[in-house]
Amino acid sequence: MEECISPKRKRIPYGMMNFADIRLDNYYYVDKTRFIPLIEDSDRFFFFIRPRRFGKSLTLSMLQHYYDVRTKDMFDDLYGDLYIGKYPTRDRNSYLVLYLNFSGINSELHDYRKGLDAHCRTTFENFCKIYADYLPQDALEELRAADGAVEQLDALYQACARTNQKIYLFIDEYDHFTNSILSDPESLHRYTGETHKEGYLRAFFNKVKAGTYSSIKRCFITGVSPVTMDDSTSGFNIGTNYSLTAKFNELVGFTEEEVREMLTYYSTTYPFNHTIDELIEIMKPWYDNYCFAKECYGKTTMYNSNMVLYFINNYLDQNAEVPQDMIEHNIRIDYEKLRMLIRKDKEFAHDASIIQTLVSQGYITGELKTGFPAVNIVDPDNFMSLLYYFGMLTISGTYRGETKMTIPNQVVREQLYTYLLNTYNETDLSFDSYEKEQLASVLAYDGEWKRYFDYIADCLKRYASQRDKQKGEFFVHGFTLAMTAQNRFYRPISEADTQAGYADLFLFPLLEMFPDMQHSYIIELKYAKYKDSESRVDELRLEAIGQANRYADTEIVKSSIGTTKLHKIVVVYKGVEMRVCEEV
């Protein structure tokens, strides 16, 4: 294939966050500069929250280079063929840029002041050196005489004020220190101390606020969660949160149009084995369907940009074959930290009911919060909001006057289901990964479905707590979905039973990745209560048979199974006992 590789083809900026490197070293860049005028027209102190690995750091880098006085001579090279190169604003290259990246600070709160001081000292000294021609001669000397980040920030912005210089302050991952409260309940007390009254973090943000009366003219602050909005930023209460604003829905991430343009470009420089439409059809269920503003629901959805770049990068590296692993491992949420955040007392409480309701019902509703204190994280609405900001839920309209939230795509579905299963491992029970993988393989290639569902039923029965048993159908349905989601040969599609002919579960065969697999499945799952009669179990069995047969005749099934043999499996539970498991 060597002769097919164009030396002039733009490289894929997978994992890259430096805008100048991307632009100067011939990498592909999805143009987001059209948002610069909108940001300038917004409030000067700009908060923006998005999930990890969605392109926030690259966006900050793009803004930094645009506003930095030192990159004025590079403007045409960096922006000439982009939107903002054709329509520049008055403020271009007119600021001294101060960039703080809190992700590099030790998040342990007992060491946080030390880490913040060290990071700021290095950054502030570098600022004084690179902008020496714009600052008073004694600026660096005064900075070094100050003690700690708070005093040094004071010295820095006052030095800029003396020479009438404007600062554009960028803070990336301002909420990074909240990680400390995810793994240690004691950290919550330290966290409260640092963000209330005379705490050091509060003092730091108070000093940022003081600087806005002087030389800090603009701020752009990003993070992942709104947990600290009511805490640390109470010392900086002049900022505006644009995270849920429709006009910035597309600021990070990729629209489908942007993904198509990228695929089209690479298809002209490399022999693809698929059409653009075929690749979109493969990628869409895994990476698309994020909506960050209620007004945008039903109009524009966003793809996870990091996952799109991962897919295209692997597709080209593997001679235009679809990667067998659709999920980039680095994007997986740290479940242990998330679990400790929402369950400080290790009590499986609100999170269980919300996630199990979500898995079984297909959606949850509530009020999407713009911020909440860490001490209230276990409130149901707050937990729902946390899942949304982590990228594990997306806006799907409204229902009965509340925001309707659903799982956006298969990548997130696998993460949530893994999280759900991992809660059972805390009881010192564990799933046999080797056995589960072997059963998945024979299900896909040999059609041995009975052993697979017997294994799920055995795990369900052994791991069910008394509280799980009380949840009944939600638990059984959710557990089954979570287990089938671990099967790498299928994409489980669960449909709400709102129209005739829709099955509880369709194991969509991933034939693009495993073209030699032989079997696909429809599973009709029914649930009878412990107190129900045996005749009720038989009624449910007959009902499931009818639904499975109807669903097998639908276009979605016929168009998806390819050359595989379709099995229609009926499963009926009575309580946590599987009473029926048969093929129709």
Side-chain angles (χ1 to χ4, degrees):
M1 302 291 288
E2 192 68 31
E3 69 277 9
C4 300
I5 299 176
S6 169
K8 296 182 179 180
R9 185 180 73 210
K10 293 181 183 294
R11 289 180 284 181
I12 297 171
Y14 174 57
M16 296 182 66
M17 295 178 287
N18 187 302
F19 176 75
D21 287 346
I22 289 173
R23 294 293 291 159
L24 299 178
D25 293 340
N26 197 35
Y27 284 85
Y28 191 100
Y29 176 68
V30 174
D31 190 358
K32 297 292 185 177
T33 63
R34 70 186 186 277
F35 290 99
I36 289 177
L38 296 178
I39 294 171
E40 284 194 11
D41 289 340
S42 303
D43 293 343
R44 290 187 173 193
F45 311 112
F46 195 106
F47 277 99
F48 193 67
I49 300 170
R50 281 294 183 270
R52 288 187 176 89
R53 300 183 178 274
F54 242 85
K56 298 189 301 298
S57 295
L58 177 57
T59 299
L60 258 64
S61 181
M62 179 269 288
L63 293 172
Q64 287 175 254
H65 286 84
Y66 180 78
Y67 288 107
D68 197 333
V69 296
R70 297 180 305 131
T71 58
K72 186 173 184 178
D73 294 340
M74 302 168 61
F75 185 82
D76 287 340
D77 291 333
L78 293 175
Y79 300 97
D81 61 343
L82 301 179
Y83 173 89
I84 204 65
K86 301 168 187 173
Y87 308 101
T89 63
R90 185 185 61 185
D91 281 354
R92 80 177 199 190
N93 303 117
S94 61
Y95 289 86
L96 309 188
V97 169
L98 177 59
Y99 171 70
L100 297 173
N101 186 351
F102 282 11
S103 68
I105 301 174
N106 184 348
S107 64
E108 295 299 324
L109 279 175
H110 62 277
D111 285 334
Y112 193 78
R113 175 170 181 166
K114 180 180 177 181
L116 181 63
D117 282 346
H119 175 68
C120 288
R121 179 174 63 252
T122 301
T123 304
F124 294 163
E125 287 195 7
N126 188 55
F127 180 93
C128 289
K129 292 173 183 177
I130 63 177
Y131 293 115
D133 293 342
Y134 299 88
L135 300 176
Q137 290 185 349
D138 60 352
L140 183 57
E141 182 181 346
E142 287 190 1
L143 178 77
R144 287 172 172 170
D147 181 25
V150 177
E151 289 187 16
Q152 287 182 336
L153 179 60
D154 188 29
L156 191 67
Y157 75 71
Q158 293 203 35
C160 291
R162 292 201 298 275
T163 52
N164 296 315
Q165 296 298 327
K166 300 183 297 182
I167 295 176
Y168 202 135
L169 172 64
F170 294 92
I171 302 180
D172 199 5
E173 296 197 35
Y174 84 100
D175 56 342
H176 176 69
F177 57 84
T178 58
N179 285 341
S180 63
I181 67 174
L182 309 188
S183 57
D184 178 15
E186 275 302 308
S187 290
L188 184 61
H189 302 297
R190 299 191 190 102
Y191 166 83
T192 303
E194 292 291 353
T195 55
H196 291 75
K197 298 181 180 178
E198 301 304 317
Y200 199 59
L201 288 170
R202 184 182 179 89
F204 181 82
F205 280 102
N206 269 327
K207 192 58 66 177
V208 172
K209 179 179 179 180
T212 63
Y213 292 95
S214 179
S215 56
I216 299 178
K217 299 302 182 183
R218 282 190 175 272
C219 298
F220 195 104
I221 302 176
T222 71
V224 175
S225 76
V227 172
T228 58
M229 279 293 194
D230 290 353
D231 299 328
S232 65
T233 53
S234 61
F236 180 64
N237 54 14
I238 58 173
T240 303
N241 187 346
Y242 286 100
S243 305
L244 302 178
T245 306
K247 65 180 177 179
F248 294 113
N249 181 58
E250 300 173 22
L251 176 57
V252 299
F254 295 156
T255 63
E256 183 163 313
E257 181 182 359
E258 290 167 337
V259 176
R260 285 182 176 274
E261 287 178 0
M262 192 185 316
L263 289 170
T264 300
Y265 167 79
Y266 284 106
S267 70
T268 64
T269 64
Y270 194 91
F272 276 24
N273 292 330
H274 303 80
T275 66
I276 305 302
D277 284 342
E278 287 172 341
L279 289 175
I280 289 292
E281 186 177 352
I282 293 168
M283 297 166 70
K284 191 177 183 66
W286 292 86
Y287 309 144
D288 189 23
N289 202 37
Y290 293 94
C291 177
F292 298 110
K294 291 180 184 178
E295 298 86 346
C296 296
Y297 174 69
K299 300 175 184 176
T300 303
T301 57
M302 303 302 296
Y303 284 71
N304 180 302
S305 51
N306 189 78
M307 293 304 306
V308 169
L309 295 175
Y310 162 83
F311 179 93
I312 298 177
N313 193 49
N314 278 271
Y315 185 78
L316 297 180
D317 282 349
Q318 298 172 14
N319 297 323
E321 297 294 339
V322 175
Q324 289 199 358
D325 191 347
M326 294 288 288
I327 303 178
E328 185 233 3
H329 293 290
N330 291 332
I331 205 173
R332 299 179 190 276
I333 296 294
D334 185 339
Y335 299 106
E336 185 61 35
K337 290 182 178 179
L338 178 61
R339 194 157 55 243
M340 289 302 296
L341 171 64
I342 60 178
R343 266 196 310 126
K344 299 183 301 294
D345 59 355
K346 297 186 179 181
E347 183 68 25
F348 198 29
H350 290 306
D351 51 335
S353 60
I354 287 177
I355 290 180
Q356 288 183 344
T357 299
L358 175 67
V359 169
S360 181
Q361 183 174 271
Y363 67 91
I364 55 176
T365 61
E367 179 187 356
L368 189 55
K369 302 292 187 67
T370 57
F372 45 82
V375 292
N376 294 338
I377 193 65
V378 295
D379 291 353
D381 273 348
N382 290 347
F383 177 65
M384 185 193 81
S385 297
L386 184 74
L387 291 177
Y388 162 78
Y389 286 112
F390 269 84
M392 304 181 88
L393 292 177
T394 190
I395 296 172
S396 294
T398 58
Y399 182 76
R400 295 180 177 243
E402 292 188 306
T403 303
K404 183 179 179 182
M405 309 291 285
T406 59
I407 301 172
N409 51 49
Q410 184 61 19
V411 169
V412 178
R413 185 170 290 108
E414 181 176 310
Q415 293 178 69
L416 270 179
Y417 291 172
T418 300
Y419 167 70
L420 190 60
L421 289 179
N422 281 352
T423 59
Y424 298 102
N425 291 345
E426 292 184 354
T427 61
D428 294 326
L429 297 168
S430 61
F431 303 101
D432 187 326
S433 297
Y434 177 77
E435 181 181 6
K436 190 166 56 175
E437 178 63 24
Q438 289 298 109
L439 290 171
S441 178
V442 297
L443 181 76
Y445 286 93
D446 301 326
E448 294 187 21
W449 53 268
K450 187 66 166 61
R451 288 170 54 198
Y452 185 79
F453 290 102
D454 282 345
Y455 176 75
I456 292 177
D458 180 59
C459 291
L460 185 150
K461 184 177 180 181
R462 285 190 289 133
Y463 298 165
S465 68
Q466 189 58 42
R467 183 166 53 246
D468 293 323
K469 294 176 182 177
Q470 292 171 356
K471 292 169 184 168
E473 186 172 8
F474 271 15
F475 167 67
V476 170
H477 194 185
F479 191 94
T480 303
L481 273 175
M483 288 291 282
T484 54
Q486 311 301 304
N487 191 322
R488 64 191 179 96
F489 300 103
Y490 299 95
R491 175 165 60 89
I493 299 178
S494 177
E495 302 287 355
D497 192 18
T498 55
Q499 50 185 315
Y502 273 73
D504 281 312
L505 194 62
F506 172 43
L507 296 187
F508 185 107
L510 299 177
L511 293 170
E512 290 292 346
M513 287 169 268
F514 307 100
D516 59 338
M517 62 187 296
Q518 301 293 314
H519 302 272
S520 54
Y521 297 87
I522 289 172
I523 298 101
E524 266 297 343
L525 178 64
K526 296 297 180 182
Y527 178 83
K529 298 177 182 179
Y530 285 103
K531 61 183 179 181
D532 286 344
S533 64
E534 289 301 315
S535 62
R536 176 57 179 161
V537 172
D538 196 53
E539 288 175 9
L540 291 171
R541 171 183 168 274
L542 294 175
E543 183 181 319
I545 290 172
Q547 289 176 337
N549 284 327
R550 286 195 298 273
Y551 193 40
D553 288 331
T554 60
E555 189 58 36
I556 186 175
V557 172
K558 291 179 179 179
S559 63
S560 303
I561 61 176
T563 58
T564 63
K565 178 182 179 181
L566 177 65
H567 300 266
K568 295 171 287 185
I569 309 300
V570 167
V571 177
V572 182
Y573 278 86
K574 186 176 182 183
V576 294
E577 296 271 357
M578 187 171 70
R579 303 300 289 272
V580 176
C581 183
E582 63 182 48
E583 183 171 6
V584 177

